Amino acid sequence: MARPDDEEGAAVAPGHPLAKGYLPLPRGAPAGKESVEPQNGPKAGTFPVNGAPRDSLAAASGVLGGPQTPLAAEEETQARLLPAGAGAETPGAESTPLPRTALSPRRFVVLLIFSLYSLVNAFQWIQYSIISNVFGGFYGVTLLHIDWLSMVYMVAYVPLIFPATWLLDTRGLRLTALLGSGLNCLGAWIKCGSVQQHLFWVTMLGQCLCSVAQVFILGLPSRIASVWFGPKEVSTACATAVLGNQLGTAVGFLLPPVLVPNTQNDTNLLAYNISTMFYGTSAVATLLFILTAIAFKEKPRYPPSQAQAALQDSPPEEYSYKKSIRNLFKNIPFVLLLITYGIMTGAFYSVSTLLNQMILTYYEGEEVNAGRIGLTLVVAGMVGSILCGLWLDYTKTYKQTTLIVYILSFIGMVIFTFTLDLGYIIIVFVTGGVLGFFMTGYLPLGFEFAVEITYPESEGTSSGLLNASAQIFGILFTLAQGKLTSDYGPKAGNIFLCVWMFIGIILTALIKSDLRRHNINIGITNVDVKAVPADSPTDQESKTVMLSKQSESAI
């Protein structure tokens, strides 16, 4: 039997009809002070409006005189969450039962399947770059051509993110997952037909399809976590979903140097090894596509939290994708996070793409160890991701954790930069692990922080925009760092990234922490509005009324 969750509160998204027992407030109100209380701000001087007919507040703006002042973006979001109705009580009271919430055992199956096909997609992203000299020699192309096999993932993401997030928001989670897994499988099979020296364009075609699949994959972790997991496990679930992609990168660093050793003096053997890697990838991708089609469901029977319950009650035809995008770009904390996430993740993409070239500059013939260093970097990051997810679920200290991890990532990058050329490869393993622990561990922090400060906007849209920013910065950083590495050496390219990461620290410190989703789940929704008393509909003197929704126990 499903276990009901124990969180309170409910919320609705802008553009969605309200959940039962909620009343929309007028967009305008007489001039005066309108504010949102702090999370734990004082409640003194407030009184609830009870006993009013359901339409009394809706008609208030027409009764009152004076100019109409629209609510600020943050105020509008929470103003839609106020309880109303004749004799209505605060949700959570005995007379108004909360929507039923429960945790479905299937959530672990959904999370596992997604993590595995995300793993295969990430593996295909990095499988060329970590042995770039081998593939460059086999196809007879320059290292820049091989770098583009990685950068095409970044290039494809930017123009396709908006249709992909629109599809996720309007057609749902299952269809998006099937597209991601299916395109990933198709791209892997096309690459199997490219194992001839003159067919570089075929392997590029297959990689392009895999890059399109990535658009339908990277935005799903926070959406899957929110739709399937309860408030006490949502950050850990998001970190686990991101971990699948990181594990794929780790496997991409480890296996290609082992499966495809540098045997360019024997072209036939090299072709056979490349073919073995491609066919093995295709078989795994096909199995995961079948499992996705069988086991991946749209959503559980019952929502896992009160915040999700309110969103699921809203008919999809009322949703406005354009309005959601506008709301996100009006949200200054989210815009700052968009830039800082792009800097951090773009730097990680650049380091991952150019790692082979950096290592071989100082440690010639160490292709296998270059892959192992990449593996160390990502595995350490996976540990960091899980620990950060658990920490967020326990403390809900989103901004503090994000800022600390950002600072430690910067320190790790500085240490990696100035120890790379010491001539001791064991030091590179250690510094790479430290860098990876914090830099890769940052990824789920950005997703979850974005969902908190943008609720009730779609998780897929906010995550998609974060990933688009990461791809743009990743392309720019890879090109710039690659040029600096070629002309002046790896140290110059790494210092370039250090400067940008320091800028990211400053911008992260400026982000205002507004934990909207967390507040709804614990029952805090406070908004100041202007209205006339319910017993004096003709009174022209405006009076300030604060509607306060107090936290109620649903146990």
Side-chain angles (χ1 to χ4, degrees):
M1 180 176 178
R3 178 177 64 83
D5 225 346
D6 61 351
E7 286 74 22
E8 313 91 34
V12 292
H16 290 243
L18 301 171
K20 181 182 293 186
Y22 287 79
L23 181 68
L25 294 178
R27 292 300 184 98
K33 181 181 179 182
E34 299 158 353
S35 65
V36 180
E37 285 190 22
Q39 283 177 233
N40 299 308
K43 309 286 190 298
T46 70
F47 59 94
V49 176
N50 288 323
R54 183 170 291 273
D55 59 350
S56 62
L57 288 179
S61 60
V63 174
L64 294 173
Q68 304 293 304
T69 305
L71 293 172
E74 292 82 0
E75 294 169 335
E76 179 183 355
T77 299
Q78 294 192 10
R80 294 165 180 262
L81 309 177
L82 297 172
E89 296 186 29
T90 302
E94 292 183 7
S95 62
T96 309
L98 292 168
R100 178 178 178 181
T101 62
L103 297 178
S104 168
R106 183 184 285 269
R107 69 192 188 278
F108 298 112
V109 176
V110 171
L111 183 62
L112 177 62
I113 293 173
F114 169 79
S115 297
L116 288 176
Y117 78 72
S118 178
L119 180 155
V120 175
N121 183 259
F123 171 81
Q124 296 193 81
W125 164 57
I126 206 67
Q127 67 181 159
Y128 295 99
S129 295
I130 197 59
I131 48 173
S132 54
N133 57 321
V134 176
F135 274 106
F138 178 76
Y139 286 114
V141 297
T142 66
L143 290 179
L144 182 60
H145 285 82
I146 302 301
D147 288 344
W148 272 107
L149 288 169
S150 172
M151 287 192 292
V152 70
Y153 265 58
M154 309 175 201
V155 172
Y157 196 93
V158 178
L160 294 177
I161 180 55
F162 292 106
T165 52
W166 174 85
L167 189 74
L168 174 61
D169 292 342
T170 58
R171 296 296 182 266
L173 192 59
R174 175 175 163 80
L175 178 60
T176 306
L178 286 172
L179 281 172
S181 184
L183 289 171
N184 192 52
C185 176
L186 180 60
W189 280 108
I190 288 177
K191 285 194 241 183
C192 292
S194 70
V195 192
Q196 296 184 42
Q197 292 182 287
H198 65 286
L199 293 180
F200 177 78
W201 67 273
V202 177
T203 208
M204 176 61 83
L205 175 62
Q207 191 74 339
C208 286
L209 281 176
C210 293
S211 70
V212 175
Q214 178 211 217
V215 182
F216 298 101
I217 294 174
L218 289 188
L220 292 190
S222 57
R223 182 63 168 264
I224 290 173
S226 295
V227 170
W228 284 91
F229 289 82
K232 295 181 180 179
E233 57 189 13
V234 64
S235 296
T236 305
C238 181
T240 304
V242 173
L243 182 143
N245 199 268
Q246 297 171 356
L247 183 59
T249 304
V251 176
F253 280 127
L254 178 65
L255 284 186
V258 175
L259 296 175
V260 188
N262 192 354
T263 58
Q264 296 191 36
N265 55 336
D266 189 344
T267 305
N268 291 333
L269 177 59
L270 185 57
Y272 174 80
N273 291 334
I274 293 174
S275 180
T276 299
M277 182 171 68
F278 284 169
Y279 275 102
T281 305
S282 302
V284 175
T286 302
L287 174 62
L288 290 172
F289 175 64
I290 295 171
L291 290 176
T292 303
I294 294 173
F296 211 99
K297 301 299 181 184
E298 181 66 34
K299 61 183 179 181
R301 181 178 180 184
Y302 298 107
S305 67
Q306 293 300 329
Q308 194 61 218
L311 295 178
Q312 290 186 8
D313 278 345
S314 305
E317 60 269 15
E318 296 292 334
Y319 174 72
S320 171
Y321 180 70
K322 291 182 180 179
K323 182 178 180 181
S324 179
I325 294 292
R326 287 197 301 268
N327 288 343
L328 289 174
F329 280 106
K330 289 178 182 177
N331 187 327
I332 300 303
F334 176 72
V335 173
L336 290 173
L337 182 62
L338 196 64
I339 297 171
T340 58
Y341 184 90
I343 292 172
M344 174 68 81
T345 312
F348 169 71
Y349 289 163
S350 183
V351 169
S352 300
T353 301
L354 301 172
L355 184 63
N356 175 266
Q357 297 175 38
M358 287 190 282
I359 299 300
L360 295 185
T361 298
Y362 299 115
Y363 306 93
E364 188 175 350
E366 294 283 0
E367 289 92 351
V368 173
N369 272 330
R372 290 171 180 168
I373 291 170
L375 174 67
T376 302
L377 187 147
V378 178
V379 169
M382 291 161 53
V383 176
S385 293
I386 293 299
L387 291 179
C388 288
L390 291 169
W391 177 255
L392 286 185
D393 278 331
Y394 180 72
T395 66
K396 302 300 180 183
T397 54
Y398 289 87
K399 177 179 176 178
Q400 297 93 320
T401 305
T402 301
L403 181 59
I404 290 171
V405 170
Y406 216 119
I407 293 171
L408 294 174
S409 297
F410 168 74
I411 295 172
M413 189 68 200
V414 171
I415 295 173
F416 178 79
T417 298
F418 290 98
T419 59
L420 185 61
D421 60 348
L422 294 181
Y424 299 98
I425 200 165
I426 187 64
I427 294 179
V428 184
F429 274 94
V430 174
T431 57
V434 173
L435 177 64
F437 182 88
F438 296 112
M439 182 177 277
T440 317
Y442 171 83
L443 304 183
L445 293 179
F447 282 154
E448 282 298 284
F449 195 15
V451 172
E452 287 291 338
I453 63 178
T454 62
Y455 180 87
E457 306 300 340
S458 166
E459 303 91 345
T461 306
S462 61
S463 298
L465 290 174
L466 288 180
N467 282 317
S469 175
Q471 308 300 336
I472 292 172
F473 277 100
I475 294 169
L476 297 176
F477 286 173
T478 301
L479 292 173
Q481 187 185 11
K483 179 66 174 174
L484 289 170
T485 299
S486 299
D487 294 349
Y488 304 103
K491 183 175 290 186
N494 287 334
I495 290 174
F496 168 80
L497 293 184
C498 289
V499 172
W500 276 98
M501 290 174 68
F502 183 76
I503 295 173
I505 291 173
I506 297 173
L507 295 179
T508 300
L510 298 176
I511 297 175
K512 177 184 176 183
S513 182
D514 181 14
L515 307 184
R516 301 179 181 183
R517 182 181 64 178
H518 174 62
N519 287 348
I520 295 303
N521 281 324
I522 65 174
I524 300 175
T525 305
N526 302 311
V527 180
D528 282 340
V529 296
K530 293 285 188 176
V532 295
D535 57 352
S536 304
T538 59
D539 188 356
Q540 296 300 315
E541 180 181 358
S542 63
K543 299 181 181 179
T544 301
V545 179
M546 174 185 289
L547 303 180
S548 298
K549 175 174 171 241
Q550 306 294 339
S551 178
E552 298 284 347
S553 173
I555 300 175

